[in-house]
Amino acid sequence: DNGKALCCARLFPEQNNEWHVGRIVVKKILRGKGIGKRMLDEVAKKAKQQGGRSVILGAQYDKEPFYAACGYEKFGEPFLDENYPHVWMRKIL
């Protein structure tokens, strides 16, 4: 928006054709407008173009329903990141 980021995420390869998405953020005033889902769809598309078979992320515990609505499924054990509970989630591409 006029040269300023409205949302962002970083994507990097892991092992076995799995990609990790992290540092996901949407500007607060724009949340709830579908921008986060569109961004995650683009991230998954990029991973798939690079040969990815799945995308994983560490979701803040209270954001799990959002990621589930975007096609991600919980796996593994909960963990703390910066003293905030998170859960691993995966989307098969």
Side-chain angles (χ1 to χ4, degrees), residues 3-69:
K4 295 183 180 179
L6 301 177
C7 61
C8 69
R10 67 179 183 180
L11 179 68
F12 53 93
E14 294 283 354
Q15 298 175 356
N16 302 320
N17 296 323
E18 189 161 65
W19 286 72
H20 187 138
V21 61
R23 302 297 185 230
I24 302 162
V25 64
V26 174
K27 197 169 185 176
K28 197 169 192 173
I29 63 169
L30 298 173
R31 293 178 190 163
K33 299 177 188 267
I35 292 171
K37 182 180 183 326
R38 287 184 16 216
M39 180 177 61
L40 287 174
D41 288 346
E42 285 298 316
V43 165
K45 182 178 168 183
K46 294 271 187 200
K48 190 170 185 174
Q49 289 171 346
Q50 299 297 318
R53 293 187 178 180
S54 63
V55 177
I56 62 170
L57 56 83
Q60 292 179 345
Y61 200 73
D62 61 330
K63 305 299 188 289
E64 180 184 340
F66 166 74
Y67 293 110

